[in-house]
Amino acid sequence: MMDLTIRKIVTVVEEVCIDGKKAVDKPFKKCAAAAVIKNPFAGEYVEDLSRLSDIGEYLGGLLAQKAVAAMGIAPEQAESYGKGAIIGMNGELEHGAAILHPKLGKPMREAVGGGKAIIPSAKKLGGPGTPLDVPVHYKDAAFVRTHYDAMEVRLHDAPAADEILVAVVVTSGGRPHPRIGGLQVHEIKGEDGLR
């Protein structure tokens, strides 16, 4: 992508084997893939943010592909997803919204083998070291409680005031020992992205 300056990409994989002093039935992974990019609109107000939406479209596919590859799974084995952004202090919240919402979802869904549910998101302003809990839920039915979770994303040197940290999170399973009831994966209809 010509109009995009990526300072770095960071990929973190967490593999959960034991939770609450009990081994999990099947270890599962969570992966955050994040890109630190130059904010082309830092320090100025611009009405047309379509350039950021185009950047989001590119990053949605790139980062989701990196997350799936880092976990060593096939795209259709991805179960949950989420997205987030931390906008440096010379930017504005709407810059993160422009990246995350209009176009990022389609290529992200393609990279994870589908997804009918809305992709949950979080965004905030902050400087280097600011943490962001990126929410996730089941990719084909948002009401599957076993997959309500989050993964913290934090980089010690990002975002600078003129940068945006963009992250996607993909998982290969739900929470380690779910037992609060509600809709289960095997019960979903997969028609409306909710149930």
Side-chain angles (χ1 to χ4, degrees), residues 3-89:
D3 255 359
L4 173 63
T5 301
I6 298 176
R7 178 163 63 91
K8 68 178 181 176
I9 294 175
V10 176
T11 305
V12 177
V13 177
E14 174 182 301
E15 185 168 356
V16 179
C17 301
I18 297 172
D19 186 66
K21 303 196 184 291
K22 182 177 188 249
V24 297
D25 293 332
K26 178 181 118 187
F28 73 96
K29 297 176 182 176
K30 289 194 238 186
C31 181
V36 179
I37 67 167
K38 181 165 180 51
N39 182 350
F41 302 132
E44 63 180 304
Y45 179 86
V46 176
E47 192 65 36
D48 180 4
L49 299 178
S50 59
R51 185 169 160 198
L52 290 174
S53 297
D54 292 341
I55 289 170
E57 182 176 28
Y58 174 75
L59 291 176
L62 174 72
L63 296 176
Q65 288 168 11
K66 285 187 176 293
V68 168
M71 289 192 295
I73 63 172
E76 57 275 359
Q77 291 175 298
E79 291 194 13
S80 297
Y81 54 25
K83 59 189 177 181
I86 305 171
I87 302 93
M89 297 307 292

Side-chain angles (χ1 to χ4, degrees), residues 153-166:
V153 175
R154 181 171 56 89
L155 300 180
H156 73 282
D157 66 345
D162 64 345
E163 293 178 329
I164 302 173
L165 186 158
V166 181

